[in-house]
Amino acid sequence: MKKICIFLFTVIFFNPTAFAQSQKTGVLIIGGGAAGTAAGIQSARSNVKTIILEAGPWLGGSLTSGGMCVVEGNRSFNSGVWGEFRKRLKEYYKNTPGFDTTANATLRFEPAVGAAVLKKITDTVKNLSVHLNASFTGIKKDGTGYAITAKINGENTTIKADVVIDGTETGDVAAKLGVPFDVGFENEAQSGEKWAVKEALPVIQNLTWIAILKDYGRAADRTILKPEGYDETLYNSLKGKNMKQMLESGRLPNDKFMLKIKGINDYPVKISDFSSAQNKEQAYQKARLKTLGLVYFLQTQMGLKNLSVDNLEFNTPDHLSYLPYIREVRRAKGVIKMVLDDIYTPYSRSSKLYRTSIGIGDASPGQHYLPLQSAPETNYGAFPAYSVPAGAVIVKGFDNFLVAEKAMSVTHLVNASTMYPSVQMTIGQGIGTMAAYCSFFKTTTKNVKLRLIQNEILSYHGYLMPFVDVKQTDPQFIAIQKLGVTGLLQGVQKPAGGSAQVFFLPDSAVKTSEIKPVLNEIYTRAFLWFNKNKPAELFTIGNMLSFIEELDLRDAKTFQLQIKNDWKPKLRLNSVFDLNRPITRREFAALADVYLKPFDRRIDLTGKFLN
């Protein structure tokens, strides 16, 4: 008996998990970065109990803790949570001198303000619990869900979740779970991309430790101590440059600057740098010192001693950001891999991944390598805005486990855009919607009904298609978004410099040739109607009503009178109703959404229509 008591005493007082707390949730997000935070907000708003675990003191990841606070990507698309974040920041800075309130202006904000905005949003979301400074320690399968161990408020905790989202910047949860990854450049044979290298390269993009500088006034001398291992030659290429002009690109409100200079405070990393906590810490420390060296160089060699690291922005010993800006690490093998052709030629591929969209992006691809890495620069040409397919965030062979950030199932060349923080915030909302769906309906990622998920995204002001010319204030916005993901009417890319915007052209006439293939694919009676009616090159309003009448067996005269009466008050169309006039793309979308309902046709993860 005495031995038993001693044994029990030992178990209770020396087993660190003996008093572990236990929680149950629908969705658990590990990593409160841009994607993870948006996923958590959306999952909770979709009426599912949701928990976010974040290792650091702030939500937002690269946007806030990483100091990546000059944001150009997705600025023309105020999609969902991302749009809400932008709106609140603009409201905060509206009276700040010099702040650009233009609708699609580059977003510039102080990291601490961005973190405060995200906290304010999450604090008001029901069903959402946020745990900061919480460390994730383990994960294992538990039925159709997962059991996760973590340390929250200093206490060991076990969380059982229906769905888990890896929202870490470096795919840490997926790695712990044993998910297979791709690393570096795929070759052309592996990805099918004509832009790909001939031989695969295990090279990943540099990270950057960003500093937020403050101008303390022309007479101030805020020179920092010489950093350990300082090497002036690393920065000599800046001599003779107009540094004040260069710094302007990173200007922030309140006389601050984001210090991120390509090739100067970039730090080259290898996948082995992320193989252990010790390796990661060593790489991170070297990256911090390189940025501190740049600050010291600007002060001592470029005459900018009045500029120094803002000592109120980040509560770190050196006052640099909490996290590095990480562009790439490892990419999970998903049920779908998104390739560049899904961006450049989404409509002509055998798979129609745009139909499975859960978010959009338009960030120009970044390429950050040092010469010693021997990595080729890719000529992307005019890079189009794009839709992100659902299958790229679902890990193959791991039901109810979703990935975000740099762990998404995309190629190296696609990751150069999808990794961008504002794109990730948009994608994160879609990931959160999918996770909530699986938990709410007690199902798995194998059985997702994508149209229900997409409809939920739209109902929370998200975008599925990157149509730049149809704003959310447009009365036909949702109808056009729904029609866009069916492919009935395709977006038109218009290159301008290094990018290409995608237009819907709502007031253009509909061509019979563009709608006939998809109508035949969706509706079994379409073939008979086209053979009988033989519409002209331009599809008319009369053709559209006739097609609807054929499918629904409606009386022609009664239906035409109904549409005429509903044209403005119910369909919200301001054009003239004329049966003989070519129908516009806007009018086609409005009528199709109400009467043909092509969006209701089920699809699989490749975009194929299901019976």
Side-chain angles (χ1 to χ4, degrees):
M1 183 70 177
K2 184 177 180 181
K3 289 183 177 180
I4 293 175
C5 289
I6 292 172
F7 172 75
L8 290 175
F9 177 88
T10 303
V11 169
I12 291 172
F13 286 95
F14 293 97
N15 182 352
T17 63
F19 283 112
Q21 297 183 46
S22 181
Q23 299 183 37
K24 180 75 173 72
T25 191
V27 174
L28 173 66
I29 299 109
I30 304 172
T37 302
I41 291 168
Q42 183 57 56
S43 174
R45 285 175 174 170
S46 291
N47 205 30
V48 170
K49 184 179 179 182
T50 304
I51 296 174
I52 298 175
L53 298 183
E54 165 54 39
W58 289 354
L59 291 175
S62 293
L63 279 171
T64 57
S65 297
M68 182 57 187
C69 51
V70 177
V71 188
E72 295 184 353
N74 280 27
R75 68 179 187 267
S76 296
F77 302 104
N78 290 316
S79 180
V81 176
W82 163 241
E84 184 177 354
F85 179 64
R86 281 178 58 91
K87 182 179 179 180
R88 292 201 182 208
L89 283 169
K90 287 187 175 185
E91 181 66 23
Y92 180 88
Y93 286 116
K94 67 180 181 181
N95 296 321
T96 302
F99 186 79
D100 191 346
T101 58
T102 308
N104 66 341
T106 297
L107 188 63
R108 300 170 185 271
F109 59 95
E110 295 155 286
V113 174
V117 165
L118 291 177
K119 184 180 186 303
K120 193 169 185 178
I121 295 173
T122 55
D123 282 351
T124 62
V125 177
K126 295 179 180 179
N127 304 312
L128 177 62
S129 299
V130 177
H131 299 288
L132 301 176
N133 301 305
S135 58
F136 151 77
T137 55
I139 182 171
K140 65 179 181 179
K141 201 80 176 73
D142 181 46
T144 58
Y146 294 87
I148 297 88
T149 54
K151 185 159 285 190
I152 301 174
N153 297 325
E155 297 187 18
N156 294 317
T157 305
T158 298
I159 303 172
K160 292 193 173 184
D162 298 329
V163 185
V164 172
I165 298 170
D166 184 344
T168 64
E169 300 274 343
T170 54
D172 295 340
V173 188
K176 181 83 75 171
L177 191 58
V179 169
F181 287 97
D182 291 319
V183 176
F185 289 75
E186 294 93 344
N187 62 32
E188 188 174 357
Q190 292 170 325
S191 70
E193 298 167 320
K194 67 180 183 181
W195 303 264
V197 293
K198 300 303 179 185
E199 294 185 13
L201 288 172
V203 174
I204 61 178
Q205 289 207 57
N206 302 331
L207 60 79
T208 303
W209 213 292
I210 292 174
I212 303 301
L213 302 183
K214 182 174 176 61
D215 187 347
Y216 286 93
R218 186 176 300 177
D221 184 352
R222 300 298 294 260
T223 304
I224 64 174
L225 295 175
K226 181 187 290 188
E228 177 188 343
Y230 174 70
D231 180 359
E232 182 179 316
T233 63
L234 295 175
Y235 317 103
N236 278 338
S237 61
L238 294 177
K239 289 183 176 179
K241 299 286 180 66
N242 186 337
M243 282 308 307
K244 290 184 178 180
Q245 184 177 351
M246 291 181 69
L247 288 169
E248 276 300 312
S249 64
R251 178 172 283 281
L252 307 175
N254 299 318
D255 297 319
K256 297 181 184 180
F257 301 87
M258 180 186 76
L259 183 62
K260 181 177 73 71
I261 303 177
K262 183 175 182 178
I264 302 299
N265 61 329
D266 288 352
Y267 182 79
V269 284
K270 307 178 294 296
I271 190 59
S272 59
D273 291 321
F274 299 93
S275 62
S276 70
Q278 181 180 5
N279 287 1
K280 185 187 292 187
E281 184 54 37
Q282 289 176 351
Y284 283 5
Q285 181 58 23
K286 291 176 182 177
R288 296 180 85 105
L289 288 171
K290 190 173 185 185
T291 291
L292 288 172
L294 173 58
V295 174
Y296 185 75
F297 179 86
L298 294 178
Q299 294 170 331
T300 59
Q301 300 298 315
M302 304 296 287
L304 298 174
K305 61 183 180 179
N306 57 308
L307 294 182
S308 193
V309 180
D310 183 359
N311 57 17
L312 297 179
E313 196 71 49
F314 299 105
N315 187 24
T316 55
D318 55 15
H319 303 298
L320 294 185
S321 55
Y322 292 116
L323 296 173
Y325 179 38
I326 298 172
R327 299 177 176 87
E328 182 179 14
V329 182
R330 47 198 165 201
R331 304 181 302 281
K333 292 184 181 293
V335 297
I336 291 291
K337 177 179 278 192
M338 183 181 177
V339 301
L340 279 181
D341 291 295
D342 296 315
I343 295 175
Y344 287 101
T345 56
Y347 302 110
S348 60
R349 290 174 54 73
S350 57
S351 61
K352 309 294 182 185
L353 297 188
Y354 67 89
R355 290 178 178 167
T356 73
S357 173
I358 58 167
I360 61 169
D362 73 350
S364 298
Q367 299 184 80
H368 290 252
Y369 314 103
L370 294 187
L372 56 89
Q373 292 176 292
S374 301
E377 290 276 334
T378 301
N379 181 11
Y380 284 91
F383 193 76
Y386 55 88
S387 296
V388 178
V393 303
I394 303 174
V395 179
K396 187 176 182 180
F398 293 81
D399 286 351
N400 285 5
F401 184 78
L402 305 171
V403 288
E405 297 289 345
K406 296 84 192 174
M408 283 175 49
S409 181
V410 299
T411 62
H412 166 86
L413 296 179
V414 171
N415 173 76
S417 174
T418 57
M419 63 84 188
Y420 203 78
S422 54
V423 177
Q424 279 298 313
M425 187 168 277
T426 304
I427 298 169
Q429 182 170 357
I431 296 172
T433 308
M434 191 184 308
Y437 170 88
C438 292
S439 176
F440 187 87
F441 289 104
K442 303 303 178 188
T443 188
T444 71
T445 45
K446 281 183 178 177
N447 302 306
V448 292
K449 293 182 179 178
L450 288 173
R451 292 308 192 211
L452 290 180
I453 292 166
Q454 291 173 325
N455 196 62
E456 183 82 344
I457 293 169
L458 289 173
S459 69
Y460 282 93
H461 311 293
Y463 276 76
L464 301 176
M465 300 298 291
F467 298 144
V468 74
D469 56 340
V470 182
K471 304 301 182 184
Q472 289 177 321
T473 53
D474 192 300
Q476 305 304 332
F477 174 79
I478 289 181
I480 288 169
Q481 287 284 309
K482 286 182 176 180
L483 196 76
V485 292
T486 67
L488 252 174
L489 290 176
Q490 301 175 2
V492 178
Q493 296 177 6
K494 292 189 176 183
S499 63
Q501 292 182 319
V502 179
F503 292 80
F504 181 72
L505 305 177
D507 298 319
S508 296
V510 173
K511 295 180 180 178
T512 299
S513 59
E514 64 182 327
I515 58 173
K516 183 177 179 181
V518 181
L519 288 175
N520 282 333
E521 185 180 3
I522 299 176
Y523 306 104
T524 55
R525 296 177 62 85
F527 179 78
L528 297 174
W529 184 89
F530 276 104
N531 275 351
K532 180 173 66 175
N533 290 275
K534 295 181 173 52
E537 178 185 359
L538 297 180
F539 212 65
T540 66
I541 294 174
N543 291 148
M544 184 62 167
L545 299 192
S546 172
F547 187 84
I548 295 170
E549 292 157 8
E550 174 77 20
L551 266 61
D552 289 352
L553 303 177
R554 295 172 180 266
D555 176 71
K557 288 186 178 180
T558 303
F559 185 55
Q560 289 174 16
L561 180 60
Q562 176 191 335
I563 296 300
K564 183 178 180 180
N565 291 334
D566 291 348
W567 193 253
K568 290 187 179 180
K570 292 187 178 180
L571 293 171
R572 295 183 293 175
L573 295 169
N574 293 321
S575 51
V576 176
F577 178 77
D578 179 354
L579 293 174
N580 297 316
R581 177 174 60 77
I583 191 169
T584 67
R585 291 160 71 94
R586 177 193 301 281
E587 294 162 347
F588 187 95
L591 287 167
D593 184 53
V594 175
Y595 297 103
L596 294 180
K597 300 186 183 301
F599 181 78
D600 291 353
R601 183 58 61 91
R602 291 174 56 228
I603 55 172
D604 64 16
L605 287 170
T606 69
K608 180 182 177 181
F609 288 114
L610 301 174
N611 294 324

